[in-house]
Amino acid sequence: MTAMASNALPRANTESGTSPVALSVEGMAVTYSGLLEVCSDVSIDVRRGEALALIGESGSGKSVTVLAVTGLLGRGGAIVRGSVKLDGEEISHLSERERRRRGLLGKRIGMIFQNPSRALDPVFTIGQQLNEALSLTGLKGKVELRAKGAEWLRHVGLPDPEEALDCYPHQLSGGQRQRAMIAIALASEPALLIADEPTTALDVTIQAQVLNLIRRLQKELNLALVLVTHDFGVVAAMADRVAVMYGGQVVETGSVDEIIRTPRHPYTQALLASIPTGEAGARIQALPGSVPHAGAMPRGCRFHPRCPAALPLCQDSAPALQPAADGRVMRCLRADDLERHDA
Amino acid sequence: MPDAQALFSLHDVSVRYPIRRGFFQRVVGHVGAVDGVSFDLRRGETMALVGESGCGKSTLGRAILRLEQVADGTIKATGKPAATRKDLARKAQVVFQDPLGSLDPRWTIGNLIGEGIDVHGTARGAERDSIVRDLLKQVELPASAFHKFPHQLSGGQQQRVAIARALAMRPELIVLDEATSALDVSVQAQILNLLKDLQAEYNLTYLFISHDLTVVGQFADRVAVMYLGRIMEMGDAADVLSAPRHPYTRALLASSLKVDPDMRIDRVPLLTGDVPSPRNPPSGCRFRTRCPQAQAGCAELRHRMVPAPNGRETAACLANGDL
């Protein structure tokens, strides 16, 4: 623990530079009913042992992105462009049956949701739900399953693991349910863990416990982690790299230090400036307006109506996500002159 | 300590919910949601109530609004005492967390904002409509919102309607019960700025119920930290948040995540366990079961507030040398 804390800064380069890419999404677009494009041009990649945070306001397309990766888009939702690769294998156009056959549901991709009471089945005990995940690894036998299940619950820090195996979800507290869900998500030993707002509904003291647990297990099991959140506090505490989303697109990516200390894209800057600093009486620099609706996206750069740095040019030409002169990756027509301006 | 400037004075206020069991729903016991809370709400200030869920902060807000019956203690208001809840509505209003849940989906925005004016008969006809249009302007909503329905507005706009609805009664106190917690940060910033402007204009008093200590530090003048129905620490917001005295305040501050990439999760000190059930709270100091500094004597400690300079009060704590 102390060793990890002392070399906290170079972590992003040392750990993630060499390990293989677990998930790679390239120019993915998602529509519902073929009409409503809720995600267009999303590109992210995550390596083993690395934590990527997807951050943005509600309606920015971050949850849809992870649902598309897991194949849980639901009725009418489809990936219409781009590719999604898990360990190099294209998975964007597989049917549900094919996904199941290849072990994509649960086995290779684990998911943790915001609301554990909705993700857990109320009529089965925690033990029964754990067994389902454990059996995906090929484990058989009542005694073996029970022993392994109790081990997982101990691993996630539930007080009485043996007793908790026989509990129904409603018999556990919110924090305990979230731990049980993490145990179930990890019991099938996935390569990729997706956590969609895993602690938004929890109190701060429980949030710290649960995030600490996720981070510890991610390191121990060398998982690739995609963390969806709207809270920069969670990003700062957990992520190695960050992808900022706006209006269904990734607008800036970088290491957690780059994004939080020296944000470059005007949207990232405005979002960070609108977070209260805790300084008494100070006025917050509010970003005016709100995220446009998927059915009424502005032409050109999607952020230009709210952007303080917008030029007339931004109304017509749509920028691409590309590296600026200094190597920072963002989607902005003024990437190069804003950089000069900052320096 | 009655304060000349106090708008509401709370003295030893307790709120209890009955526990009902069995076929006849007989009362078999009580849950103490708020236990012996005293403080003054001063005119024109923002007082924050913070704590984890179940600590009684919302219940206390509801008790001041008389939406909850007070079991023990008194809540006194200055000026003419409000005889009924309807009278109190002209003095104290509330904005809840979920705007869509508090706005009737079948009513237009104009009627929602004007409801209080209609009920109290303060204005009618064209005069009432012009008051409503003024309120729309004050909360920075377009005049076209008058004939719209709640679902046609965004979350931030809906919360502005809820604020306009509260303002319509020209209250002195507005209870903001997690009023910005469900909003995106950019929208939260807009609403907090709006609330600040309205406070300056009308000398409003806010009771700001929140779990976000950073927002509280920026928005509130004073803060009361609650745990399992009791106030653990209270005082000037800047003082309490920069130099917390009670172990619980320290733990709560340490657990809340900062927007600082050096504060990685493995450096955040963890508080173990969950909040105990309020049905069966620990004896003595209620925080002792999770307190990193707990001692044997904490189980017998009597809860009382120890005063300090600058209006600061901290619950007696053995680790702080209180007996």
Side-chain angles (χ1 to χ4, degrees), chain A residues 24-83:
Chain A
S24 159
V25 177
E26 280 267 330
M28 181 183 73
V30 176
T31 63
Y32 274 93
S33 319
L35 297 166
L36 210 55
E37 193 167 285
V38 286
C39 249
S40 18
D41 200 10
V42 172
S43 301
I44 49 171
D45 54 75
V46 203
R47 294 173 182 276
R48 291 298 291 256
E50 183 185 54
L52 172 84
L54 275 185
I55 187 160
E57 295 172 271
S58 42
S60 61
K62 51 193 194 303
S63 285
V64 172
T65 300
V66 296
L67 287 177
V69 168
T70 48
L72 297 173
L73 280 173
R75 190 174 292 246
I79 299 174
V80 289
R81 283 196 305 278
S83 74

Side-chain angles (χ1 to χ4, degrees), chain B residues 137-154:
Chain B
K137 206 179 292 165
Q138 274 164 4
V139 297
E140 293 154 21
L141 281 174
S144 60
F146 191 93
H147 294 292
K148 285 189 177 162
F149 289 92
H151 73 267
Q152 293 172 295
L153 305 181
S154 70

Side-chain angles (χ1 to χ4, degrees), chain A residues 178-224:
Chain A
Q178 194 63 287
R179 284 161 192 273
M181 187 161 68
I182 293 171
I184 292 167
L186 293 180
S188 55
E189 297 165 18
L192 171 67
L193 177 66
I194 292 178
D196 190 353
E197 306 267 10
T199 55
T200 307
L202 303 176
D203 279 316
V204 284
T205 59
I206 311 295
Q207 162 170 284
Q209 293 172 13
V210 170
L211 289 179
N212 188 293
L213 169 72
I214 294 177
R215 184 67 174 172
R216 203 189 77 222
L217 293 174
Q218 186 228 340
K219 288 283 167 205
E220 279 175 24
L221 307 172
N222 198 30
L223 297 173

Side-chain angles (χ1 to χ4, degrees), chain A residues 246-247 292-293 295-306 314-315 318:
Chain A
Y246 184 81
H293 189 256
M297 276 298 163
R299 273 169 50 80
C301 170
R302 295 186 170 181
F303 184 55
H304 86 261
R306 299 172 79 190
C314 302
Q315 295 173 21

